[in-house]
Amino acid sequence: PKQPGVYLQLGKIDLSQGRNESARRHYAQALELLPDLVDAILFMGDVDFREGQWDRPIRWYKRAIDVEPKRADAYLRLAELYFRKGELAEARSWYEKTLLVAPGKYTYIASLKAGVCALGLGDPHGAEQHLRRASESQPTQWRPLYRLACAASQQGDVEAALRALEAAAAKGFADVSTLQRDACLRPLAAEPRFQTLVRTLGGGAQR
């Protein structure tokens, strides 16, 4: 009989090649031999997630956390699932739990996405805290700076919003159409510095 790790590897190969049912079968075989094999539990959830299911992967990911409470990628998977569902409050909660469980491991992505959730929930102050952390963790990235501009704009701080936008542009943001249509930046539209950005930015970068 094969070892659990062999079934796990076979499942990974299946999943990478889009053979979901075969992957599910191999992961199930691994779990028959070792019911608390966290990787197999998570990958079972991933198969269901790929198929657009919601409830089953939630159960798998929470089972993984029950088995290994410090498994940060299980928390992150839950956060991403709820984000995809549009349940921003739940997603934000799981992103924040990811940051607590494994400080430093997923700081950028969890902080950035928690900030995006907070913006969507009408909490620009909370968003600002997360987005600053994301920017500090990866200073070359423009995405947190762009979102910081939104957070500052929503709080009525035009100067801070313009500084963040200019910094984002300096680090690679170049999508002028996004700049013009983003509702959170409308309060800046009449500002000369904003109009300068609109005139000078080229296309290419994506949000």
Side-chain angles (χ1 to χ4, degrees):
K2 294 183 174 70
Q3 296 297 312
V6 174
Y7 287 121
L8 190 67
Q9 287 304 119
L10 289 171
K12 286 182 180 179
I13 293 168
D14 288 331
L15 199 61
S16 70
Q17 297 180 2
R19 299 193 297 264
N20 290 354
E21 283 308 314
S22 182
R24 185 180 281 111
R25 182 171 65 254
H26 282 127
Y27 295 141
Q29 288 171 313
L31 290 170
E32 284 178 10
L33 297 172
L34 194 61
D36 287 348
L37 184 59
V38 173
D39 282 345
I41 294 170
L42 289 173
F43 292 144
M44 286 287 273
D46 291 348
V47 174
D48 290 333
F49 194 7
R50 280 190 173 200
E51 294 180 345
Q53 301 183 51
W54 303 120
D55 293 336
R56 283 167 58 179
I58 287 171
R59 289 196 294 270
W60 285 116
Y61 297 153
K62 288 185 175 179
R63 174 176 165 184
I65 291 170
D66 288 340
V67 173
E68 192 174 332
K70 295 293 186 181
R71 186 66 184 250
D73 53 343
Y75 292 82
L76 188 61
R77 280 170 162 89
L78 278 165
E80 292 288 287
L81 187 154
Y82 283 113
F83 188 85
R84 289 273 297 274
K85 286 181 72 178
E87 297 183 19
L88 297 185
E90 195 70 20
R92 177 183 179 177
S93 173
W94 285 103
Y95 285 126
E96 290 173 343
K97 288 174 184 176
T98 303
L99 292 165
L100 290 172
V101 167
K105 189 169 185 181
Y106 297 109
T107 300
Y108 176 74
I109 187 62
S111 297
L112 176 64
K113 297 294 277 291
V116 171
C117 291
L119 282 174
L121 292 165
D123 180 13
H125 178 70
E128 183 179 353
Q129 294 176 313
H130 285 302
L131 295 167
R132 288 196 183 284
R133 186 188 305 113
S135 187
E136 289 164 4
S137 72
Q138 291 198 23
T140 62
Q141 295 293 321
W142 59 262
R143 286 175 176 81
L145 292 166
Y146 183 93
R147 300 292 184 175
L148 275 167
C150 288
S153 178
Q154 288 182 9
Q155 294 178 88
D157 192 338
V158 171
E159 174 61 27
L162 290 168
R163 281 201 311 270
L165 271 183
E166 290 164 347
K171 295 185 180 188
F173 173 76
D175 190 345
V176 68
S177 62
T178 292
L179 193 65
Q180 290 176 303
R181 69 173 181 263
D182 200 326
C184 75
L185 301 179
R186 284 175 189 161
L188 310 180
E191 295 293 324
R193 285 160 64 189
F194 183 86
Q195 294 169 2
T196 297
L197 279 174
V198 170
R199 286 194 301 270
T200 58
L201 283 183
Q206 300 298 317
R207 294 179 69 191

